[in-house]
Amino acid sequence: MEAEAPDHQAPTGVPDGGDHRPDRRRASVADIRRYGQPPGLKDRRNEEHWAGRLYMRDLSPYFAWIALRLGFSPNQLTYLMMLSGIVAGVVVSLPASGTAALWTALGGAVLIQVYLLLDCVDGEVARYLRRTSVAGVFLDRIGHYLSEVSLLIGLGFAAQGGWKNGGWAELGLVAALGAALIKAETDNVVVARAKSGLAADPSGGDRALRPRSTGIALARQAASMLRFHRIIGAVELSLLILAAAALDAVLGTDTPAAIRVLMVAVAAVAVLQTLLHLVSILASRRLK
């Protein structure tokens, strides 16, 4: 998700009072869909992840029902989301080769799916309980930072072939820095506007996001259509790591060749996207 949007947002389309929603321990899955997934949730094209729209939002109410029954708070679920994303990177980085590396890649991919699930569930529980908060939004954003950075660093160590220093591990750090800077660029638009006394969202809707230069606008549109930037996203990257590990297992090479090719591609995209994203913001009306 540019970066995924926080899911601890205030409910929309649901009245603040008079809805008579059941107590958390008596809530049904249908209740959670009604109050935890407000109208238009899946249509947030720049905010809702494609995997959320495709399948995770259909599954998450069942797990939100379990979380409500067990007494989890929204922030506790967000902490679990952070933990699953960080551990995914650690698992991917485990020293392994051949079939063993395939299993670590699979473990990382499964943990990222758990991370995505919890990213949906924490917001649904927050909206159901009316416990949306600024702290929840903050933790959600930090969780996305940590998860992507952890996975990219883990990929670097997987390409290195173990927990040791080397060029591949350093390339992973470069990619992680790029991913963090991209998110920081997005978030700092809001910071810059707030410090200037402006509303968080610029007027003009999508028009404000478009660069004023025709050339830059066309380049941005082309990049958006190719969606190459998505390979540094946690969900997409975890699946690519799994595919590369499977290819290495099939090829039976002495070194993780496919993982290393992926590492180079990911680092190149991270660096290029950092620069393009910065230019796109400066050339748009978002800072006006």
Side-chain angles (χ1 to χ4, degrees):
M1 350 166 179
E2 292 178 351
E4 297 126 0
D7 205 25
H8 285 265
Q9 59 182 358
T12 57
V14 178
D16 289 335
D19 54 37
H20 305 296
R21 66 188 68 185
D23 176 79
R24 64 183 299 158
R25 296 188 185 279
R26 293 180 303 192
S28 67
V29 171
D31 291 326
I32 294 168
R33 290 191 191 279
R34 179 182 179 187
Y35 299 112
Q37 294 186 348
L41 182 68
K42 291 185 179 181
D43 298 328
R44 303 180 302 170
R45 292 292 172 180
N46 292 329
E47 301 177 3
E48 184 73 359
H49 194 274
W50 61 264
R53 295 193 300 270
L54 185 62
Y55 60 88
M56 197 58 82
R57 285 294 181 186
D58 294 326
L59 297 174
S60 58
Y62 296 97
F63 291 89
W65 177 84
I66 294 173
L68 285 170
R69 291 296 180 97
L70 294 178
F72 281 100
S73 71
N75 285 354
Q76 287 172 339
L77 293 167
T78 305
Y79 285 126
L80 289 175
M81 180 198 79
M82 290 182 188
L83 181 62
S84 62
I86 294 170
V87 174
V90 174
V91 170
V92 166
S93 74
L94 291 173
S97 60
T99 304
L102 180 58
W103 283 109
T104 59
L106 178 60
V110 170
L111 283 165
I112 289 299
Q113 290 299 309
V114 173
Y115 151 84
L116 177 61
L117 173 64
L118 290 169
D119 190 28
C120 294
V121 170
D122 64 357
E124 290 169 3
V125 170
R127 284 187 287 269
Y128 189 86
L129 297 176
R130 297 193 186 96
R131 291 187 189 174
T132 57
S133 65
V134 175
V137 173
F138 175 79
L139 289 173
D140 194 86
R141 296 299 302 169
I142 293 297
H144 294 312
Y145 274 72
L146 291 175
S147 299
E148 288 193 9
V149 165
S150 178
L151 196 59
L152 286 162
I153 293 173
L155 176 60
F157 281 114
Q160 189 67 43
W163 292 341
K164 52 190 176 183
N165 293 330
W168 295 107
E170 292 168 0
L171 202 58
L173 291 172
V174 168
L177 176 60
L181 285 174
I182 291 167
K183 290 185 179 297
E185 289 168 357
T186 299
D187 290 344
N188 273 289
V189 170
V190 178
V191 173
R193 292 182 63 84
K195 284 184 174 291
S196 300
L198 301 174
D201 296 320
S203 59
D206 290 342
R207 283 187 65 254
L209 304 181
R210 300 171 192 161
R212 288 165 289 178
S213 166
T214 303
I216 295 177
L218 290 173
R220 181 180 183 273
Q221 185 176 5
S224 179
M225 290 176 61
L226 292 173
R227 301 188 183 281
F228 69 92
H229 61 283
R230 283 191 170 180
I231 73 170
I232 59 176
V235 175
E236 292 84 353
L237 180 58
S238 68
L239 298 176
L240 288 172
I241 292 172
L242 179 58
L247 182 58
D248 280 333
V250 170
L251 294 175
T253 55
D254 294 333
T255 57
I259 287 288
R260 288 180 173 180
V261 170
L262 177 61
M263 183 71 263
V264 171
V266 165
V269 167
V271 172
L272 181 61
Q273 182 66 9
T274 302
L275 297 174
L276 292 178
H277 193 227
L278 178 62
V279 171
S280 177
I281 290 172
L282 291 174
S284 73
R285 297 173 179 82
R286 280 178 274 189
L287 299 178
K288 299 296 182 180

